[in-house]
Amino acid sequence: MKPVKGPTYRRWASVLCGMCILGLLMYTGVGAVAAQEATTNITIDGEQVKSEDNVVVLNDPNANITVTADAPIELIELRVNGDVYRSYRPNSATFDRSVTLDLDPNENTVEVIAKSDTVTTFKTSITKHTAAPRVEYISPFSTTVKGGPNNTVNVTSGQVTLAGNLHTVVDIKSIRIERTSNYGPDESSSDVDRKIHRISNPGESFSQELLLVDGTNNLTAEYTDTLGRTNTDRFVIEVNDESDPTINITVADESYTDTASISGTVQDETKLKRVEINRTSNNGSQVLMLSANAKPNPDKLKYSFDTTVELYDDNDDNEFKITAEDAAGNIRNQTFV
């Protein structure tokens, strides 16, 4: 047998050394390819959602779940508030499914857990706002947040303030208050007056002055938040005005001519109908103001006058009586000489 020559021996030694090094690398993991995590994408009602987002919805949303991985996906779990909502075993490197989420009111935690070579978790928060704005009324009546106004509310003045505190999960965008009043001439044939008040971005509370008629006033109050949800309260404010108008006059108790100046103001809480001055000695009268109907009118809440009356008795008292009547028929008389 011929002896092995040097170069051939060196080649075998190199091969054996390379195999040892490869085995060592495989044993220690050096150079091994790391397993890739699955990629999860979710859209809520068509809008892309990122992990750890906080999404707000008004109704149970539609979720579209897409998962891709480098290896077959063994298991996908969709969890809502920690409970398994749906479970899938796709045994494929891709997964695409659409599902409607049955959520609780307020905040919900939604997770998608995917297991292939590795386990990946996608987690987001979805808040479901189902309650429309609520109102705690403080004027001209009081309610709780949960309890709305009574069907009929009784007041004694045509000037009231509708006010309340707003309770809502998001900001109130607008308030619309509609007042419809029947003002006569009688129950069988009644005219109607309608007034709309609007309040934008009221904050946490609101206050609106209302002018009502003596009798029936129908109110519709709508509260709309920035998400478009509206709470509507409908009720009747019944005004029973039993207060007489008030009279304040200024007049001199003596005059050295045949006339005298009289000035003053007359006010009422609902509406003035008539103001006149009567001479009690000879039944003369002077009508200062007269309103034809009971239709709400802010200009008829107060009447100011400055007039002149003639004097007939040179050496005796000239007696006068000023009369003020409101739309409810309440009358105030004031006599002076």
Side-chain angles (χ1 to χ4, degrees):
M1 178 182 297
K2 296 181 180 180
V4 179
K5 296 182 179 179
T8 303
Y9 173 79
R10 286 195 296 271
R11 284 198 301 271
W12 278 107
S14 298
V15 171
L16 290 173
C17 182
M19 292 177 65
C20 291
I21 293 172
L22 178 61
L24 181 62
L25 290 173
M26 292 178 65
Y27 177 76
T28 59
V30 177
V33 178
Q36 298 294 315
E37 292 185 349
T39 301
T40 303
N41 291 294
I42 297 180
T43 61
I44 300 296
D45 289 337
E47 296 291 332
Q48 186 70 42
V49 177
K50 297 179 181 179
S51 185
E52 305 300 332
D53 270 358
N54 191 343
V55 182
V56 176
V57 296
L58 301 180
N59 302 294
D60 289 331
N62 178 266
N64 191 81
I65 303 169
T66 303
V67 182
T68 58
D70 291 337
I73 304 168
E74 301 176 18
L75 176 67
I76 291 178
E77 283 188 353
L78 171 61
R79 297 183 181 182
V80 177
N81 297 325
D83 297 327
V84 177
Y85 187 75
R86 294 286 188 275
S87 179
Y88 308 96
R89 295 185 178 274
N91 196 28
S92 171
T94 60
F95 174 82
D96 192 344
R97 186 65 56 92
S98 182
V99 59
T100 299
L101 301 178
D102 185 9
L103 302 180
D104 295 332
N106 301 319
E107 189 172 351
N108 298 263
T109 299
V110 177
E111 297 173 282
V112 176
I113 301 172
K115 181 179 182 301
S116 55
D117 285 344
T118 60
V119 177
T120 59
T121 301
F122 184 100
K123 182 177 180 181
T124 191
S125 176
I126 302 179
T127 300
K128 185 172 76 170
H129 290 325
T130 58
R134 303 298 301 172
V135 183
E136 177 190 8
Y137 289 96
I138 59 176
S139 176
F141 51 85
S142 299
T143 67
T144 63
V145 176
K146 294 183 179 179
N150 295 328
N151 292 333
T152 301
V153 179
N154 294 292
V155 298
T156 59
S157 172
Q159 298 178 74
V160 300
T161 300
L162 185 65
N165 299 316
L166 302 168
H167 295 262
T168 179
V169 291
V170 294
D171 292 336
I172 297 294
K173 180 180 180 181
S174 63
I175 298 175
R176 180 183 183 274
I177 301 171
E178 179 179 340
R179 185 268 300 158
T180 305
S181 301
N182 301 315
Y183 63 89
D186 53 52
E187 294 182 357
S188 62
S189 178
S190 182
D191 292 321
V192 176
D193 181 69
R194 179 169 169 264
K195 176 71 174 178
I196 295 177
H197 303 275
R198 301 181 189 274
I199 305 173
S200 299
N201 304 315
E204 297 181 354
S205 63
F206 76 98
S207 178
Q208 177 61 55
E209 300 294 327
L210 301 177
L211 182 58
L212 312 175
V213 300
D214 183 68
T216 301
N217 302 266
N218 296 285
L219 272 294
T220 300
E222 297 177 348
Y223 307 91
T224 303
D225 64 20
T226 54
L227 297 178
R229 294 169 304 178
T230 298
N231 177 42
T232 302
D233 287 332
R234 293 181 175 87
F235 51 95
V236 173
I237 298 183
E238 195 76 30
V239 179
N240 183 18
D241 182 6
E242 297 182 349
S243 299
D244 297 337
T246 61
I247 301 174
N248 292 288
I249 61 171
T250 301
V251 59
D253 57 3
E254 288 186 329
S255 175
Y256 296 95
T257 66
D258 55 0
T259 61
S261 295
I262 304 171
S263 61
T265 59
V266 180
Q267 291 181 269
D268 188 69
E269 295 180 349
T270 303
K271 183 183 179 182
L272 290 169
K273 178 181 179 181
R274 174 175 61 98
V275 179
E276 66 180 32
I277 296 178
N278 294 286
R279 179 189 297 278
T280 59
S281 57
N282 64 358
N283 296 322
S285 65
Q286 179 182 353
V287 177
L288 302 178
M289 190 276 289
L290 184 64
S291 179
N293 55 52
K295 180 179 179 179
N297 186 344
D299 295 334
K300 293 296 187 289
L301 297 174
K302 181 178 179 180
Y303 176 75
S304 299
F305 63 91
D306 188 354
T307 188
T308 300
V309 295
E310 293 185 358
L311 306 177
Y312 289 92
D313 296 326
D314 292 338
N315 299 313
D316 201 356
D317 291 341
N318 289 265
E319 186 177 79
F320 295 88
K321 180 176 68 176
I322 184 166
T323 299
E325 181 183 3
D326 66 15
N330 301 304
I331 296 176
R332 170 86 67 179
N333 292 309
Q334 186 169 331
T335 302
F336 58 93
V337 294

